[in-house]
Amino acid sequence: MKIKKIGLKNNNTNIEKFDVKRITTLDGLTKSIVGNYKNKNKSNSVLLVENYDLNEPMPIVVDQFEKYDLTDEELLKLSRLCIQEQGSVKGAAGEASLMANLFELRGGEYNGKKGAEGLYEYVRNGGWFYNAKEYMDNGSDANKVTDKVEEAVKSVLVDGKRTLPKYVNQHDGTYGLISVTNDGNEINKDDPSQYISHVSKCIQNSDPEFYGKDAITWIYYCHPGEGSDPFGYSDPKLRKKYGEGHYDFDTGKYVEE
């Protein structure tokens, strides 16, 4: 029996090898997979994945994304920035996913700090997120943090349930886009229905006073929530490297499409 992917009951993200040894029946339909895995320090351990229906597709990696042990204060401040950026709970989850993606794609370190501390410091001081310190410290009257917003951001960053694939590393308000095209034909950048995933190309404003960088072109992925910015990615190689895996915001299930 060949297993390409396996659901992990623990938090070990250093697994190099997994060999299925046997399948045992727990009840009428659900099963357990019992096997050995070898991690990077070469130690072997037994892994049990419970409640797996053999009639269903193979289980999937549930520890796909890094989990950040944020303090309550750090979570609140990041949530303030996420809701300010996107204006909805679903959009805030997308923003939090992008934060983690950006941090990890740059090496998972900022000024010598890693993990939750590194992520927090990068978002606050890295210059990618507009007016980050102000919104993190004081919030916004127009976009206030609610329990649902904070729960969504916690799900993404603390529980590791990112709602965007890891290769997604761009977004901008349409005011900052020079143009958006589909196969060379310009579309109405303010109309989300005209965007096509993996087809639309977004040319971002080059105003150095606002962005501090040259114009770039990136590929559209989605609008993560109603009224949110378009999100996308700058390098198709990243998509090939990391794949489509993410958690569907509405169902909470891990998907690969």
Side-chain angles (χ1 to χ4, degrees):
M1 182 177 184
K2 185 177 180 182
I3 291 195
K4 294 182 179 179
K5 295 175 182 173
I6 190 74
L8 304 181
K9 195 179 179 182
N10 66 1
N11 292 328
N12 192 323
T13 58
N14 296 318
I15 290 176
E16 292 182 332
K17 184 179 181 181
F18 185 91
D19 296 313
V20 172
K21 297 301 181 184
R22 67 182 185 273
I23 297 174
T24 58
T25 300
L26 293 182
D27 54 37
L29 290 176
T30 57
K31 310 292 179 179
S32 287
I33 298 175
V34 182
N36 294 326
Y37 68 83
K38 181 177 288 187
N39 59 28
K40 289 184 178 178
N41 64 17
K42 306 305 179 185
S43 63
N44 291 297
S45 302
V46 173
L47 179 67
L48 176 65
V49 182
E50 296 181 291
N51 297 327
Y52 167 56
D53 187 342
L54 290 179
N55 295 315
E56 295 297 321
M58 293 309 301
I60 51 179
V61 177
V62 296
D63 282 326
Q64 175 78 6
F65 299 114
E66 188 74 21
K67 298 177 181 180
Y68 293 94
D69 187 18
L70 297 164
T71 66
D72 290 344
E73 182 180 7
E74 289 170 339
L75 180 61
L76 172 61
K77 291 188 174 185
L78 290 172
S79 297
R80 286 173 177 166
L81 184 57
C82 287
I83 190 63
Q84 166 60 27
E85 286 281 333
Q86 300 306 324
S88 70
V89 175
K90 195 170 183 178
E95 190 74 18
S97 300
L98 182 76
M99 289 174 175
N101 287 354
L102 286 167
F103 177 63
E104 291 167 17
L105 290 172
R106 72 184 306 278
E109 183 175 345
Y110 182 75
N111 282 349
K113 298 177 181 178
K114 299 180 179 181
E117 186 180 14
L119 171 68
Y120 180 83
E121 291 297 327
Y122 167 68
V123 172
R124 184 176 179 84
N125 300 307
W128 204 96
F129 298 91
Y130 175 69
N131 213 11
K133 291 181 182 179
E134 171 66 22
Y135 289 122
M136 290 171 74
D137 289 344
N138 302 306
S140 165
D141 290 337
N143 297 295
K144 292 184 179 297
V145 171
T146 63
D147 289 344
K148 288 187 177 180
V149 170
E150 199 162 349
E151 287 169 7
V153 174
K154 181 178 183 291
S155 176
V156 169
L157 297 178
V158 178
D159 300 333
K161 295 186 176 181
R162 219 166 290 183
T163 60
L164 297 173
K166 188 170 180 176
Y167 64 83
V168 176
N169 65 346
Q170 297 288 343
H171 83 67
D172 201 356
T174 55
Y175 54 82
L177 297 177
I178 298 172
S179 65
V180 180
T181 61
N182 291 341
D183 298 321
N185 299 311
E186 189 165 353
I187 65 171
N188 180 358
K189 63 183 182 180
D190 294 312
D191 182 359
S193 69
Q194 295 187 28
Y195 288 72
I196 303 173
S197 296
H198 308 299
V199 173
S200 300
K201 291 185 178 180
C202 303
I203 302 176
Q204 190 169 299
N205 199 315
S206 60
D207 182 354
E209 182 177 353
F210 187 82
Y211 291 95
K213 56 189 175 183
D214 294 331
I216 60 171
T217 299
W218 43 272
I219 303 169
Y220 171 73
Y221 176 74
C222 76
H223 288 72
E226 186 176 354
S228 72
D229 297 336
F231 281 57
Y233 53 101
S234 57
D235 188 351
K237 292 180 181 178
L238 293 176
R239 183 187 178 196
K240 184 176 181 180
K241 179 178 181 179
Y242 293 113
E244 304 297 333
H246 66 283
Y247 285 83
D248 182 272
F249 179 87
D250 296 315
T251 67
K253 293 183 178 180
Y254 184 88
V255 295
E256 289 193 306
E257 57 183 18

